[in-house]
Amino acid sequence: MSSRENTGMALGLLGVVIFSLTLPFTRIVVQELHPLLNGLGRALFAAIPAALLLLWRREKWPTWQQVKGLSLVIAGVILGFPVLSAWAMQTLPASHGALVNGLQPLCVALYAAWLSHERPSKAFWACAALGSALVLGYALYTGAGSIQAGDLLMLGAIAVGGLGYAEGGRLAREMGGWQVICWALVLSTPLLIGPVLYLALQHQGAVSAKTWWAFGYVALFSQFLGFFAWYAGLAMGGIARVSQIQLLQIFFTIAFSALFFGEHVEPITWVFACGVIATVMLGRKTAVRPAQPATA
């Protein structure tokens, strides 16, 4: 791997560490706030520093073609994943949601092959499929042989979130990683203001300081700063390859859930997590052919 690819992997890992606390903090927030208010409100809150940064840097407006790509980013990482995962966290432990979320790297790799024309090797797909099979096996095992409603919500979040990740990584090659998430947040603001205000007015009762701190994290870090590193990493290291680092998010989320949030983690969870991590290490050594430049 080149130094640029290694830098991309390192940035991707930094993004994953930041994202690993998203589900535990989301689980805290949805105990007091409606999942929609959490999912949409965190993006509206993050749009404020995003707009200020764009103004300060005097960034030029994206082209119409880039706006069309940003609409996929908005659908995936601003609307789809935050809302669906917040609903899932009402019924699933964060550690369980993290394991199901391990399917997202495979989705991102598939989208990368479709949107960015990357060509991973057969060995890469084998490792990605094995990791995904372990995740599905865990979901079935802990669900007593059946998929729970929360699992279906997480699967939906993964499908749309993976699209937002892959398209954002592709756009980051043109615009820059932080510019992608900033423009996506700013352009989504008209869609967010009405629903967030309505849900905020419908809310009854006080909101605890613990919930506000958790909401602050998912807004400032999960929805904003984490994407600075994540999209830059995808652009530098290759979308399909760097996306597989997200399987390590399982380990970090489970560890943080047990250490800081008091969730009980069954020993079998660690067995599955270690198996998935092993597939990441194997997949890192496989070949991924980047997109070929267009010829006249």
Side-chain angles (χ1 to χ4, degrees), residues 235-296:
M236 295 179 69
I239 298 169
R241 187 187 299 281
V242 175
S243 70
Q244 299 309 295
I245 298 179
Q246 198 179 17
L247 285 168
L248 296 177
Q249 187 171 324
I250 297 166
F251 176 81
F252 290 118
T253 299
I254 291 173
F256 289 146
S257 296
L259 188 61
F260 299 126
F261 302 98
E263 286 195 7
H264 176 68
V265 182
E266 296 289 343
I268 192 65
T269 299
W270 295 107
V271 173
F272 275 96
C274 289
V276 170
I277 291 169
T279 67
V280 175
M281 303 311 295
L282 290 172
R284 187 176 181 274
K285 300 179 180 180
T286 61
V288 178
R289 184 159 57 95
Q292 298 298 313
T295 57

Side-chain angles (χ1 to χ4, degrees), residues 24-284:
F25 276 125
T26 297
R27 185 164 172 78
I28 291 174
V29 175
V30 296
Q31 302 306 309
E32 294 187 20
L33 298 180
H34 193 282
L36 270 175
L37 184 55
N38 169 80
L40 302 180
R42 77 185 211 183
L44 186 60
F45 182 89
I48 298 172
L52 293 175
L53 181 57
L54 289 170
L55 286 171
W56 177 57
R57 292 295 300 267
R58 297 182 179 179
E59 291 291 319
K60 64 178 182 179
W61 282 84
T63 65
W64 174 242
Q65 196 64 29
Q66 290 170 338
V67 168
K68 289 193 290 186
L70 286 168
S71 67
L72 295 180
V73 176
I74 292 170
V77 304
I78 293 180
L79 300 177
F81 186 87
V83 170
L84 292 174
S85 62
W87 251 311
M89 287 301 96
Q90 286 190 311
T91 58
L92 293 180
S95 55
H96 180 100
L99 262 292
V100 179
N101 196 47
L103 287 172
Q104 191 159 69
L106 179 59
C107 286
V108 176
L110 290 169
Y111 287 131
W114 171 40
L115 296 171
S116 301
H117 307 292
E118 294 184 4
R119 293 294 177 262
S121 63
K122 292 181 180 179
F124 173 91
W125 288 120
C127 290
L130 178 58
S132 300
L134 287 170
V135 169
L136 278 176
Y138 172 82
L140 289 170
Y141 178 85
T142 57
S146 62
I147 297 294
Q148 303 174 54
D151 290 322
L152 295 176
L153 288 169
M154 279 302 303
L155 289 173
I158 289 163
V160 294
L163 178 60
Y165 281 167
E167 181 63 9
R170 187 189 69 81
L171 285 173
R173 294 170 180 164
E174 306 174 15
M175 305 173 63
W178 69 267
Q179 290 93 333
V180 169
I181 190 59
C182 284
W183 278 118
L185 287 166
V186 168
L187 293 175
S188 68
T189 300
L191 301 174
L192 302 173
I193 291 178
V196 170
L197 287 177
Y198 173 78
L199 291 166
L201 291 173
Q202 294 298 309
H203 179 78
Q204 297 181 352
V207 179
S208 66
K210 180 181 179 182
T211 296
W212 281 123
W213 279 108
F215 179 81
Y217 185 92
V218 298
L220 187 59
F221 289 90
S222 302
Q223 192 66 74
F224 185 53
L225 294 176
F227 281 101
F228 283 39
W230 181 241
Y231 278 150
L234 291 175
M236 295 179 69
I239 298 169
R241 187 187 299 281
V242 175
S243 70
Q244 299 309 295
I245 298 179
Q246 198 179 17
L247 285 168
L248 296 177
Q249 187 171 324
I250 297 166
F251 176 81
F252 290 118
T253 299
I254 291 173
F256 289 146
S257 296
L259 188 61
F260 299 126
F261 302 98
E263 286 195 7
H264 176 68
V265 182
E266 296 289 343
I268 192 65
T269 299
W270 295 107
V271 173
F272 275 96
C274 289
V276 170
I277 291 169
T279 67
V280 175
M281 303 311 295
L282 290 172
R284 187 176 181 274

